[in-house]
C-alpha cells in the first residue's frame, strides 16, 4: 500500500521498522496508561482515536490532499493507539472474567483476532485491488478502502459502548500517582529479573 502510494522503499522500511518497534516495546510503556483513568473509558477513547485517524488517513492518501508526511504520521499514531488498545483489552479480558470463563471463551477470542487480521490485511488489500480493476486510481482506491474501514470501526465502537453500558459499574481503586508508579516500577523490575524475559521478548519480536 505504501509502495502504491508513491513512497520510496527506504522510507517504507524505516517507517515499518519504527511501527514494529513501538508495538514490540509496549510492555514497557503501556502500563503508564493506568495513570489516565478507568479501563473501559480508555478502551473507548483508543477506539475513537483510531477511527478518527483512519478518517484522516483516508483523506491524506486521497488525490485531493495527498501527503506522504501526513500518511506516515497517521500510521505512527495508529500503531501507538492500536498497541495501547491491545494492552487495555487484554487487561480487561483477564480482570473481568474468571479462569473458567477465559478458558471457555479463548477459542472465540482467537477466532475474532484471526478474523480481524484477515479482514484488515488480505481483505482490505483485496478490496482496494478490486477498486483498481474498476478504473480507480491507486490513491482513490486506498482512500475508499480505508474510509470504509473507518466506518466499520465506528460501528464497533458503538457496539462496545452499548456493551459496556449493560455491564455492572466498573470498580476503581483510588491509588495515588506515586502508588501507581511504585506498582509499575515493581512490576517492570520483577520482569527484568525474571529469567524468562529474554524468551518472552524474543517471542514478541518474532511474532
Amino acid at each position: 500500500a505504501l509502495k502504491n502510494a508513491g513512497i520510496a522503499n527506504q522510507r517504507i522500511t524505516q517507517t515499518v521498522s519504527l511501527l514494529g518497534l513501538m508495538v514490540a516495546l509496549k510492555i514497557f510503556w503501556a502500563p503508564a496508561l493506568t495513570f489516565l483513568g478507568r479501563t473501559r473509558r480508555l478502551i473507548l477513547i483508543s477506539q475513537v482515536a483510531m477511527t478518527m485517524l483512519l478518517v484522516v488517513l483516508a483523506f491524506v492518501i486521497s488525490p485531493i490532499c495527498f501527503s506522504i508526511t501526513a500518511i506516515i504520521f497517521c500510521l505512527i499514531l495508529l500503531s501507538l493507539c492500536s498497541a495501547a488498545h491491545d494492552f487495555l483489552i487484554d487487561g480487561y479480558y483477564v480482570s473481568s472474567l474468571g479462569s473458567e470463563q477465559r478458558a471457555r471463551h479463548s477459542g472465540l477470542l482467537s477466532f475474532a483476532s484471526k478474523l480481524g487480521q484477515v479482514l484488515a490485511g488480505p481483505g482490505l488489500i483485496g478490496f482496494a485491488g478490486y477498486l483498481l480493476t474498476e478504473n480507480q486510481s491507486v490513491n482513490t482506491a486506498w482512500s475508499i478502502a480505508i474510509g470504509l474501514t473507518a466506518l466499520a470501526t465506528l460501528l464497533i465502537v458503538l457496539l462496545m459502548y452499548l456493551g459496556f453500558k449493560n455491564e455492572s459499574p466498573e470498580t476503581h481503586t483510588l491509588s495515588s500517582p506515586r502508588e501507581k508508579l511504585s506498582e509499575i516500577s515493581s512490576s517492570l523490575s520483577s520482569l527484568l529479573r525474571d529469567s524468562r524475559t529474554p524468551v518472552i521478548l524474543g517471542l514478541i519480536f518474532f511474532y
Side-chain angles (χ1 to χ4, degrees):
L2 294 176
K3 180 67 175 177
N4 290 340
I7 301 176
N9 290 334
Q10 181 180 359
R11 200 162 188 181
I12 292 174
T13 303
Q14 293 172 345
T15 302
V16 172
S17 299
L18 177 61
L19 300 181
L21 185 62
M22 289 190 301
V23 174
L25 295 178
K26 69 180 178 182
I27 59 173
F28 295 107
W29 59 262
L33 295 170
T34 58
F35 287 99
L36 303 179
R38 299 172 185 264
T39 303
R40 294 180 194 172
R41 182 180 180 184
L42 292 176
I43 289 173
L44 291 174
I45 289 174
S46 64
Q47 290 177 344
V48 170
M50 286 188 286
T51 304
M52 295 174 63
L53 285 168
L54 285 171
V55 171
V56 174
L57 182 60
F59 183 67
V60 298
I61 205 173
S62 68
I64 301 174
C65 189
F66 180 74
S67 171
I68 293 177
T69 301
I71 290 172
I72 293 176
F73 187 65
C74 282
L75 291 175
I76 291 173
L77 292 180
L78 272 171
S79 293
L80 285 172
C81 289
S82 176
H85 179 263
D86 186 50
F87 174 84
L88 293 167
I89 282 289
D90 286 346
Y92 184 73
Y93 175 75
V94 171
S95 63
S96 60
L97 297 177
S99 56
E100 292 185 3
Q101 290 176 307
R102 291 199 300 271
R104 187 163 59 248
H105 296 302
S106 61
L108 179 60
L109 179 66
S110 178
F111 169 76
S113 175
K114 298 303 179 185
L115 179 61
Q117 291 176 16
V118 170
L119 293 176
L124 190 62
I125 294 172
F127 181 68
Y130 167 76
L131 293 176
L132 289 175
T133 64
E134 296 296 314
N135 298 321
Q136 298 285 353
S137 68
V138 171
N139 292 65
T140 300
W142 277 107
S143 180
I144 294 173
I146 294 172
L148 290 177
T149 303
L151 288 176
T153 306
L154 179 60
L155 176 61
I156 293 172
V157 174
L158 294 175
L159 292 175
M160 289 285 291
Y161 174 74
L162 294 175
F164 284 156
K165 282 194 67 175
N166 292 328
E167 293 191 8
S168 57
E170 187 177 11
T171 57
H172 185 62
T173 56
L174 298 176
S175 301
S176 67
R178 177 175 294 183
E179 290 173 334
K180 289 183 178 180
L181 184 60
S182 176
E183 292 174 3
I184 293 174
S185 299
S186 177
S187 298
L188 288 176
S189 177
S190 176
L191 176 65
L192 293 175
R193 289 197 304 267
D194 196 321
S195 60
R196 297 167 294 179
T197 298
V199 177
I200 295 172
L201 291 176
L203 290 173
I204 292 173
F205 276 102
F206 288 100
Y207 178 71

PDB file of all heavy atoms in Angstrom, residues 105-120:
ATOM      1  N   HIS A 105     -14.032 -19.002  26.620  1.00  0.00           N
ATOM      2  CA  HIS A 105     -14.093 -18.014  25.542  1.00  0.00           C
ATOM      3  C   HIS A 105     -12.786 -17.866  24.776  1.00  0.00           C
ATOM      4  O   HIS A 105     -12.709 -17.030  23.874  1.00  0.00           O
ATOM      5  CB  HIS A 105     -14.501 -16.653  26.113  1.00  0.00           C
ATOM      6  CG  HIS A 105     -15.869 -16.621  26.713  1.00  0.00           C
ATOM      7  ND1 HIS A 105     -17.001 -16.942  25.989  1.00  0.00           N
ATOM      8  CD2 HIS A 105     -16.292 -16.305  27.964  1.00  0.00           C
ATOM      9  CE1 HIS A 105     -18.063 -16.826  26.772  1.00  0.00           C
ATOM     10  NE2 HIS A 105     -17.657 -16.437  27.966  1.00  0.00           N
ATOM     11  N   SER A 106     -11.766 -18.621  25.126  1.00  0.00           N
ATOM     12  CA  SER A 106     -10.457 -18.456  24.470  1.00  0.00           C
ATOM     13  C   SER A 106     -10.534 -18.769  22.976  1.00  0.00           C
ATOM     14  O   SER A 106      -9.889 -18.102  22.157  1.00  0.00           O
ATOM     15  CB  SER A 106      -9.417 -19.355  25.138  1.00  0.00           C
ATOM     16  OG  SER A 106      -9.792 -20.730  25.021  1.00  0.00           O
ATOM     17  N   GLY A 107     -11.341 -19.763  22.613  1.00  0.00           N
ATOM     18  CA  GLY A 107     -11.483 -20.103  21.200  1.00  0.00           C
ATOM     19  C   GLY A 107     -12.140 -18.980  20.424  1.00  0.00           C
ATOM     20  O   GLY A 107     -11.702 -18.641  19.307  1.00  0.00           O
ATOM     21  N   LEU A 108     -13.181 -18.374  21.008  1.00  0.00           N
ATOM     22  CA  LEU A 108     -13.860 -17.258  20.365  1.00  0.00           C
ATOM     23  C   LEU A 108     -12.928 -16.057  20.229  1.00  0.00           C
ATOM     24  O   LEU A 108     -12.923 -15.378  19.190  1.00  0.00           O
ATOM     25  CB  LEU A 108     -15.096 -16.863  21.173  1.00  0.00           C
ATOM     26  CG  LEU A 108     -15.921 -15.681  20.648  1.00  0.00           C
ATOM     27  CD1 LEU A 108     -16.449 -15.979  19.254  1.00  0.00           C
ATOM     28  CD2 LEU A 108     -17.061 -15.365  21.606  1.00  0.00           C
ATOM     29  N   LEU A 109     -12.117 -15.814  21.248  1.00  0.00           N
ATOM     30  CA  LEU A 109     -11.171 -14.705  21.209  1.00  0.00           C
ATOM     31  C   LEU A 109     -10.144 -14.909  20.099  1.00  0.00           C
ATOM     32  O   LEU A 109      -9.825 -13.983  19.348  1.00  0.00           O
ATOM     33  CB  LEU A 109     -10.466 -14.578  22.564  1.00  0.00           C
ATOM     34  CG  LEU A 109      -9.420 -13.479  22.696  1.00  0.00           C
ATOM     35  CD1 LEU A 109     -10.077 -12.109  22.584  1.00  0.00           C
ATOM     36  CD2 LEU A 109      -8.671 -13.600  24.017  1.00  0.00           C
ATOM     37  N   SER A 110      -9.632 -16.130  19.996  1.00  0.00           N
ATOM     38  CA  SER A 110      -8.656 -16.433  18.951  1.00  0.00           C
ATOM     39  C   SER A 110      -9.272 -16.286  17.561  1.00  0.00           C
ATOM     40  O   SER A 110      -8.655 -15.726  16.646  1.00  0.00           O
ATOM     41  CB  SER A 110      -8.124 -17.855  19.131  1.00  0.00           C
ATOM     42  OG  SER A 110      -7.212 -18.189  18.104  1.00  0.00           O
ATOM     43  N   PHE A 111     -10.518 -16.762  17.410  1.00  0.00           N
ATOM     44  CA  PHE A 111     -11.206 -16.651  16.117  1.00  0.00           C
ATOM     45  C   PHE A 111     -11.415 -15.191  15.730  1.00  0.00           C
ATOM     46  O   PHE A 111     -11.171 -14.797  14.585  1.00  0.00           O
ATOM     47  CB  PHE A 111     -12.558 -17.365  16.181  1.00  0.00           C
ATOM     48  CG  PHE A 111     -13.443 -17.094  14.994  1.00  0.00           C
ATOM     49  CD1 PHE A 111     -13.199 -17.713  13.772  1.00  0.00           C
ATOM     50  CD2 PHE A 111     -14.514 -16.207  15.098  1.00  0.00           C
ATOM     51  CE1 PHE A 111     -14.018 -17.458  12.672  1.00  0.00           C
ATOM     52  CE2 PHE A 111     -15.333 -15.948  14.003  1.00  0.00           C
ATOM     53  CZ  PHE A 111     -15.076 -16.572  12.788  1.00  0.00           C
ATOM     54  N   ALA A 112     -11.865 -14.378  16.690  1.00  0.00           N
ATOM     55  CA  ALA A 112     -12.105 -12.962  16.421  1.00  0.00           C
ATOM     56  C   ALA A 112     -10.814 -12.249  16.040  1.00  0.00           C
ATOM     57  O   ALA A 112     -10.789 -11.411  15.137  1.00  0.00           O
ATOM     58  CB  ALA A 112     -12.747 -12.302  17.637  1.00  0.00           C
ATOM     59  N   SER A 113      -9.723 -12.608  16.722  1.00  0.00           N
ATOM     60  CA  SER A 113      -8.431 -11.992  16.425  1.00  0.00           C
ATOM     61  C   SER A 113      -7.961 -12.337  15.017  1.00  0.00           C
ATOM     62  O   SER A 113      -7.531 -11.458  14.261  1.00  0.00           O
ATOM     63  CB  SER A 113      -7.397 -12.456  17.461  1.00  0.00           C
ATOM     64  OG  SER A 113      -6.113 -11.971  17.133  1.00  0.00           O
ATOM     65  N   LYS A 114      -8.064 -13.611  14.658  1.00  0.00           N
ATOM     66  CA  LYS A 114      -7.634 -14.035  13.322  1.00  0.00           C
ATOM     67  C   LYS A 114      -8.532 -13.454  12.235  1.00  0.00           C
ATOM     68  O   LYS A 114      -8.053 -13.079  11.157  1.00  0.00           O
ATOM     69  CB  LYS A 114      -7.630 -15.559  13.230  1.00  0.00           C
ATOM     70  CG  LYS A 114      -6.668 -16.254  14.180  1.00  0.00           C
ATOM     71  CD  LYS A 114      -5.236 -15.785  13.976  1.00  0.00           C
ATOM     72  CE  LYS A 114      -4.284 -16.482  14.948  1.00  0.00           C
ATOM     73  NZ  LYS A 114      -2.895 -15.947  14.828  1.00  0.00           N
ATOM     74  N   LEU A 115      -9.832 -13.374  12.517  1.00  0.00           N
ATOM     75  CA  LEU A 115     -10.763 -12.786  11.555  1.00  0.00           C
ATOM     76  C   LEU A 115     -10.420 -11.320  11.304  1.00  0.00           C
ATOM     77  O   LEU A 115     -10.436 -10.852  10.153  1.00  0.00           O
ATOM     78  CB  LEU A 115     -12.197 -12.911  12.063  1.00  0.00           C
ATOM     79  CG  LEU A 115     -13.291 -12.307  11.162  1.00  0.00           C
ATOM     80  CD1 LEU A 115     -13.311 -12.996   9.801  1.00  0.00           C
ATOM     81  CD2 LEU A 115     -14.650 -12.395  11.839  1.00  0.00           C
ATOM     82  N   GLY A 116     -10.101 -10.598  12.372  1.00  0.00           N
ATOM     83  CA  GLY A 116      -9.712  -9.203  12.234  1.00  0.00           C
ATOM     84  C   GLY A 116      -8.451  -9.042  11.409  1.00  0.00           C
ATOM     85  O   GLY A 116      -8.350  -8.134  10.578  1.00  0.00           O
ATOM     86  N   GLN A 117      -7.487  -9.949  11.616  1.00  0.00           N
ATOM     87  CA  GLN A 117      -6.243  -9.891  10.841  1.00  0.00           C
ATOM     88  C   GLN A 117      -6.499 -10.132   9.363  1.00  0.00           C
ATOM     89  O   GLN A 117      -5.895  -9.484   8.503  1.00  0.00           O
ATOM     90  CB  GLN A 117      -5.249 -10.917  11.385  1.00  0.00           C
ATOM     91  CG  GLN A 117      -4.714 -10.594  12.762  1.00  0.00           C
ATOM     92  CD  GLN A 117      -3.812 -11.682  13.307  1.00  0.00           C
ATOM     93  OE1 GLN A 117      -3.343 -12.552  12.579  1.00  0.00           O
ATOM     94  NE2 GLN A 117      -3.558 -11.662  14.607  1.00  0.00           N
ATOM     95  N   VAL A 118      -7.402 -11.061   9.072  1.00  0.00           N
ATOM     96  CA  VAL A 118      -7.718 -11.360   7.668  1.00  0.00           C
ATOM     97  C   VAL A 118      -8.445 -10.181   7.016  1.00  0.00           C
ATOM     98  O   VAL A 118      -8.117  -9.784   5.889  1.00  0.00           O
ATOM     99  CB  VAL A 118      -8.584 -12.640   7.571  1.00  0.00           C
ATOM    100  CG1 VAL A 118      -9.112 -12.817   6.153  1.00  0.00           C
ATOM    101  CG2 VAL A 118      -7.766 -13.855   7.985  1.00  0.00           C
ATOM    102  N   LEU A 119      -9.427  -9.611   7.727  1.00  0.00           N
ATOM    103  CA  LEU A 119     -10.194  -8.503   7.160  1.00  0.00           C
ATOM    104  C   LEU A 119      -9.333  -7.256   6.977  1.00  0.00           C
ATOM    105  O   LEU A 119      -9.455  -6.543   5.968  1.00  0.00           O
ATOM    106  CB  LEU A 119     -11.390  -8.181   8.057  1.00  0.00           C
ATOM    107  CG  LEU A 119     -12.482  -9.250   8.129  1.00  0.00           C
ATOM    108  CD1 LEU A 119     -13.560  -8.838   9.120  1.00  0.00           C
ATOM    109  CD2 LEU A 119     -13.087  -9.503   6.754  1.00  0.00           C
ATOM    110  N   ALA A 120      -8.460  -6.980   7.953  1.00  0.00           N
ATOM    111  CA  ALA A 120      -7.636  -5.779   7.893  1.00  0.00           C
ATOM    112  C   ALA A 120      -6.408  -5.950   7.003  1.00  0.00           C
ATOM    113  O   ALA A 120      -5.789  -4.958   6.618  1.00  0.00           O
ATOM    114  CB  ALA A 120      -7.192  -5.379   9.300  1.00  0.00           C
TER     115      ALA A 120
END
